[in-house]
Amino acid sequence: MPSLSTADHRVSPPRVDIPRDYNAAYDLVERNLVAGRSAKVAFIDDAGAYTYGELAERVNRCADALTSLGLRAEERILVCLHDTIDFPAVFLGAIKAGIVPIAANTLLTAHDYDYMLADSRARALVVSAPLLPTFAPLFGNHPQLRHVIVSGASNAPVAGASDATRSLAALTAAASVTFAPAETTCDDACFWLYSSGSTGPPKGIVHVHSSLILTAELYAKPVLGLREDDVAFSGAKLFFAYGLGNALTFPMAVGATAVLMAERSTPAAIIARLIRLQPTIFYGVPTMISALLASPGLPRREELRLRVCASAGEALPSDIGRRWTEWFGIEVLDGLGSTEMLHIFLSNRPGQVRYGTTGVPVPGYELRIVGDDGEPVARGQVGELQINGPTAATGYWNNREKTRSTFNGPWTRSGDKYSIDADGYYLYAGRSDDMLKVGGIYVSPIEVESALVSHPAVLEAAVIGRMDHEQLVKPQAYVVLKGGQVPSEALAEALRQHVKAHLAPYKYPRWIEFIDELPKTATGKIQRFKLRARTT
């Protein structure tokens, strides 16, 4: 491939004019109706297909149902839904009504949800029926939570919940199919996404109405080349910032079709839909792509219609990208985004992919790499990546200190270390802290350590990141046992299950090594760098 100079990457960003008076949900739905796509399929979930016209009615019914319950503009609702048609209907219905939806990770624990409900002071919860038992013990803790709305439930009262619990299907069936959009502005709070809570309690990240369409105009259209005739399938779920763009904003921005999958993104589940529904665009994360390549059921390239594959969430190892290209004949466009920036701002481009790099800046975003002194570093040197772009969040809800630390004027700190090579490609060099990215989700070593030491057999524990055979980061734990405890594989497995029972399952340590003592400084701080040296 010919070498590219830095200047070659400085493409002028598309001109995007967003009016002052603007409602994101109204725009995403109405643009498709105006374009004559009412009869075109917008979403396909496990239960069937839904046209843009049907989606518009569902969005209006949800908006009407929520406001009929007394929910008002700028009030918040927690949305913890699996990927079905109910997610875009509720999410966009709330936004159209001026209500602020908070998309919650469906893999979390009751403790996490308890915090989110209290922190956000959400007036309503919209939850998938299989997730309701996790929430049921929390309802008495939150007097501000007035309504619990269950997706996938019958019209009958939901067992185990409160008197305020209602069926989403019943509420929307009685609602109006027309609804005038709330008079919101482009800078009004539109929706929240919570951070993983890896460095403390989860942070509510507030995004404005203009940000959704801007991610499509700046990345999906010019970089991915998304088209109206595309069928998009995202292995990353809608509650992720990455998945929200992939499977909702992007396809709706151009009138494409999105495939939604409620079940976990296992290789078998993904492959079944790649074959049956023939998507043209697939979005994954490196761990997912690696698992697909290792699957005995991996389809041949001629069995699929894929033309674009994108990856984000964690750095894509070169070997995984090359093997995907060799098998399917298409490139993987590895990119970097963040919940704070909403979607990808740094990416490889079609025809210009360099595996082992994260590509070049997306037009419309300005990037810089700074040292500890806050000044830009020289080409080739490692520093912290910072981003200046129009999709940055307004800040963290009710957390002024963290907001001021992360959002410095126009610049947003990523917490990622990068360098730039001679051709202007960005090279990932790790995190600025001890954080790990597992399957694209941040994991705090301290959080896993705390879970381990809560086991009666454990005296101390330290967790670091370790590369597996695919060069993907997974947690490894070093454990000091209490007196009288005997190391064994059975105990190691018991500790893994203990962590899974206390934290989201993806956070458990894949490897556990028993040691006599942890390396520490004179002041008692664990020297994780010495533990990292043991794994190299």
Side-chain angles (χ1 to χ4, degrees):
M1 187 186 75
S3 175
L4 296 171
S5 70
T6 304
D8 290 325
H9 307 318
R10 294 177 181 172
V11 181
S12 298
R15 180 177 177 84
V16 185
D17 294 318
I18 298 177
R20 175 67 179 169
D21 296 325
Y22 178 81
N23 183 285
Y26 178 78
D27 176 18
L28 286 173
V29 174
E30 193 68 16
R31 64 172 53 209
N32 290 290
L33 304 184
V34 170
R37 302 190 189 106
S38 293
K40 186 178 188 294
V41 173
F43 290 98
I44 303 171
D45 70 6
D46 299 337
Y50 313 87
T51 66
Y52 275 102
E54 291 168 334
L55 173 67
E57 286 194 2
R58 285 174 176 265
V59 168
N60 286 340
R61 286 181 182 274
C62 285
D64 186 62
L66 292 172
T67 54
S68 295
L69 291 175
L71 294 166
R72 298 174 298 179
E74 300 186 14
E75 290 186 330
R76 295 166 292 282
I77 64 171
L78 192 70
V79 178
C80 194
L81 292 173
H82 288 140
D83 283 19
T84 71
I85 188 61
D86 283 348
F87 189 111
V90 170
F91 187 79
L92 294 172
I95 291 172
K96 190 169 185 179
I99 297 164
V100 180
I102 303 168
N105 186 332
T106 60
L107 305 174
L108 300 180
T109 65
H111 174 77
D112 298 315
Y113 297 135
D114 198 35
Y115 175 83
M116 291 177 181
L117 288 169
D119 180 63
S120 67
R121 299 193 283 276
R123 295 288 185 173
L125 165 69
V126 186
V127 59
S128 291
L131 302 173
L132 184 61
T134 305
F135 283 91
L138 310 177
F139 294 151
N141 302 345
H142 303 282
Q144 84 286 350
L145 183 65
R146 297 177 180 174
H147 308 284
V148 177
I149 305 167
V150 183
S151 165
S154 66
N155 290 348
V158 180
S162 66
D163 293 338
T165 303
R166 294 174 170 85
S167 161
L168 177 64
L171 283 173
T172 54
S176 173
V177 297
T178 61
F179 190 89
E183 296 180 355
T184 53
T185 74
C186 60
D187 289 336
D188 275 333
C190 182
F191 65 97
W192 295 12
L193 299 168
Y194 266 99
S195 70
S196 62
S198 301
T199 57
K203 298 182 289 292
I205 300 169
V206 182
H207 282 286
V208 299
H209 277 259
S210 61
S211 291
L212 285 171
I213 196 60
L214 284 171
T215 61
E217 295 292 343
L218 298 179
Y219 170 72
K221 292 183 181 181
V223 177
L224 292 179
L226 200 68
R227 308 186 306 236
E228 182 180 351
D229 62 348
D230 276 316
V231 177
F233 178 34
S234 176
K237 298 298 186 179
L238 285 165
F239 61 73
F240 290 118
Y242 179 47
L244 184 66
N246 299 344
L248 190 150
T249 311
F250 296 172
M252 291 188 68
V254 300
T257 299
V259 174
L260 303 180
M261 180 175 71
E263 64 183 294
R264 288 180 56 244
S265 295
T266 63
I270 291 172
I271 289 169
R273 286 160 179 82
L274 290 175
I275 294 174
R276 179 168 59 89
L277 298 173
Q278 293 290 297
T280 57
I281 296 181
F282 176 67
Y283 304 88
V285 299
T287 299
M288 186 184 298
I289 294 171
S290 173
L292 287 170
L293 289 170
S295 173
L298 187 66
R300 299 182 302 275
R301 68 175 69 179
E302 58 269 20
E303 295 181 76
L304 306 181
R305 291 203 311 130
L306 288 179
R307 70 175 188 86
V308 176
C309 179
S311 176
E314 57 189 322
L316 179 74
S318 300
D319 181 62
I320 292 176
R322 293 192 183 99
R323 286 194 286 124
W324 182 273
T325 298
E326 290 169 3
W327 186 267
F328 288 113
I330 60 173
E331 300 167 318
V332 183
L333 306 182
D334 187 29
L336 175 68
S338 69
T339 308
E340 285 79 1
M341 295 302 298
L342 191 54
H343 214 278
I344 289 174
F345 49 78
L346 175 65
S347 179
N348 277 274
R349 308 293 178 78
Q352 301 177 359
V353 168
R354 289 194 181 182
Y355 289 128
T357 80
T358 318
V360 297
V362 170
Y365 294 91
E366 183 182 359
L367 275 61
R368 69 181 184 185
I369 298 175
V370 303
D372 293 338
D373 58 0
E375 295 298 318
V377 301
R379 177 66 62 92
Q381 292 186 352
V382 173
E384 183 189 45
L385 181 69
Q386 299 185 353
I387 312 98
N388 178 3
T391 60
T394 61
Y396 300 124
W397 168 258
N398 203 23
N399 197 328
R400 186 172 181 231
E401 181 180 357
K402 287 287 186 180
T403 295
R404 294 176 70 179
S405 173
T406 299
F407 302 97
N408 297 320
W411 295 98
T412 301
R413 299 178 60 186
S414 71
D416 290 310
K417 294 285 190 179
Y418 267 87
S419 65
I420 308 176
D421 70 13
D423 292 321
Y425 282 78
Y426 283 63
L427 305 171
Y428 180 64
R431 287 288 299 169
S432 303
D433 48 31
D434 286 323
M435 299 295 294
L436 314 177
K437 256 197 172 180
V438 180
I441 308 175
Y442 285 121
V443 175
S444 166
I446 295 172
E447 184 180 23
V448 183
E449 291 163 6
S450 297
L452 284 167
V453 298
S454 69
H455 190 281
V458 176
L459 178 64
E460 290 183 303
V463 172
I464 62 168
R466 171 179 166 180
M467 296 287 191
D468 65 11
H469 68 286
E470 297 282 10
Q471 298 302 296
L472 296 168
V473 175
K474 301 291 186 294
Q476 170 164 352
Y478 290 91
V479 172
V480 179
L481 295 174
K482 292 179 180 177
Q485 298 292 331
V486 179
S488 68
E489 180 53 36
L491 179 55
E493 181 58 25
L495 293 178
R496 293 187 190 98
Q497 296 303 319
H498 180 76
V499 173
K500 287 183 180 180
H502 287 76
L503 303 177
Y506 60 84
K507 299 181 180 182
Y508 83 95
R510 281 28 169 209
W511 306 273
I512 293 180
E513 182 175 334
F514 296 104
I515 57 178
D516 293 332
E517 62 179 346
L518 298 175
K520 297 177 181 177
T521 65
T523 58
K525 294 183 179 179
I526 297 173
Q527 296 174 309
R528 290 189 178 85
F529 71 93
K530 291 186 177 180
L531 295 175
R532 294 189 191 101
R534 294 171 65 114
T535 66
T536 58

